[in-house]
Amino acid sequence: MPTDTKRVRGPDVSQSPSLFVCQPADGVSPQGPRADGRRRDQVDVRPVFVRCGLVSQAKGSAYIEAGNTKLMCCVYGPRETERKDETDMKCGRLTTDMRFAPFSCPERGSWIQGSQEKDFSTMLQESLQPAVRLHKYPRSQIEVNMMVLENSGSVLAHAITCASLALADAGIEMYDLVLGCSLRQNGASYVADPTYAEENDRGPDQSRNQGSLTVAFLPSLNQISGLQSDGEMSEDTLTAGVRTCIEGCYKLYPLVQQVLSRCVSRAACAPPPR
């Protein structure tokens, strides 16, 4: 009997993959330490790993890893604008595209860009544009492509930082770096740099001070370039949350400076292309 060469032959006895899936926790406790050991009501962010220049085909690239959140960003350009009706003789154009890999979330997604990805792309562009000197690149466009490899919380904040590093690695002239930080408010308590479970936890009291906040900050200029707020928070809570996010950005700033310094030193020591 001829065999079917296109069929993937598996073992005769197998088990369902669902048996090996880790069961999610019943809920996030509003009291005591967080699941990963960090403290509540303090600017306690996750350890961050950052590298630049990993994608040789791109003009600039960056990879960031915060906990289990992993993102990769590539920058192309400046190049000539594809559509002539969008050409600006005095200023360049910054385009952003942020997508989630199908395997990045607990629920498998698709390659088609959804509404959340479009919103994140718009927020990413609005956060980066004030820091880029687009008037130096007339009749040109700069493309920023962001890929989320694993979403374990605070993905937009880390995407802003990763895109800023990729632009700097590409040699794009900027006024300052852009750093991002997120916060989750749950009643009278808050958590900085929330995980995926903490972002989706609604808490016992859903009527007062429940929301999320993401801030894009220019540390050298001490200016906010982008802010996104979801949920319902009082004015005092929102003001305190913005200050907390700014403090989180300042904690990340020395690491980003060190990574860029190493990247420049490595590029200066590299042999010239033949």
Side-chain angles (χ1 to χ4, degrees):
M1 182 177 180
T3 59
D4 187 358
T5 58
K6 296 183 179 179
R7 184 183 299 275
V8 179
R9 304 188 65 181
D12 296 334
V13 179
S14 61
Q15 295 177 334
S16 174
S18 60
L19 296 176
F20 304 95
V21 176
C22 297
Q23 298 296 329
D26 297 334
V28 178
S29 174
Q31 304 293 336
R34 300 159 69 176
D36 53 6
R38 290 182 291 159
R39 295 166 294 181
R40 298 178 181 274
D41 300 323
Q42 294 190 23
V43 188
D44 199 355
V45 297
R46 290 174 287 184
V48 177
F49 172 80
V50 184
R51 286 291 299 273
C52 292
L54 297 179
V55 182
S56 59
Q57 294 84 356
K59 184 68 177 297
S61 62
Y63 171 81
I64 189 169
E65 187 174 316
N68 290 329
T69 299
K70 304 177 180 67
L71 302 98
M72 172 71 75
C73 182
C74 296
V75 173
Y76 301 91
R79 60 177 62 167
E80 185 179 0
T81 306
E82 296 178 356
R83 297 181 58 179
K84 299 301 180 182
D85 56 339
E86 296 179 349
T87 303
D88 192 341
M89 302 298 293
K90 298 182 179 180
C91 184
R93 184 167 174 262
L94 180 68
T95 63
T96 58
D97 182 66
M98 183 172 176
R99 295 178 183 270
F100 288 81
F103 50 82
S104 62
C105 300
E107 296 182 3
R108 186 173 180 86
S110 65
W111 283 106
I112 302 176
Q113 193 176 35
S115 59
Q116 184 186 30
E117 294 171 317
K118 293 179 181 179
D119 294 340
F120 281 177
S121 299
T122 302
M123 179 62 184
L124 184 63
Q125 180 182 12
E126 293 176 352
S127 301
L128 296 173
Q129 194 158 342
V132 182
R133 305 181 67 181
L134 292 175
H135 64 279
K136 293 288 186 177
Y137 307 98
R139 299 179 297 175
S140 304
Q141 70 176 10
I142 302 171
E143 301 176 6
V144 178
N145 296 326
M146 179 72 61
M147 176 61 66
V148 180
L149 302 177
E150 186 173 354
N151 180 11
S152 183
S154 306
V155 66
L156 178 58
H158 294 299
I160 293 171
T161 305
C162 186
S164 175
L165 283 167
L167 286 169
D169 182 61
I172 303 299
E173 295 192 31
M174 304 172 66
Y175 295 105
D176 193 5
L177 292 171
V178 187
L179 305 180
C181 185
S182 294
L183 177 142
R184 172 67 186 174
Q185 188 73 33
N186 192 352
S189 176
Y190 71 84
V191 290
D193 191 17
T195 61
Y196 187 84
E198 291 170 341
E199 284 182 336
N200 294 276
D201 178 57
R202 300 305 173 189
D205 185 6
Q206 302 183 10
S207 59
R208 299 177 57 187
N209 284 340
Q210 296 284 337
S212 301
L213 179 66
T214 301
V215 173
F217 185 66
L218 283 69
S220 297
L221 300 178
N222 196 25
Q223 295 181 0
I224 294 176
S225 62
L227 189 148
Q228 184 185 44
S229 176
D230 298 326
E232 296 184 4
M233 291 182 284
S234 63
E235 182 179 354
D236 295 338
T237 302
L238 187 61
T239 303
V242 171
R243 291 176 181 155
T244 302
C245 290
I246 290 176
E247 186 178 349
C249 292
Y250 274 124
K251 280 193 171 184
L252 186 62
Y253 192 38
L255 173 63
V256 173
Q257 287 180 312
Q258 184 180 9
V259 170
L260 286 178
S261 178
R262 290 180 179 177
C263 182
V264 172
S265 300
R266 186 168 59 250
C269 297
R274 297 180 179 179

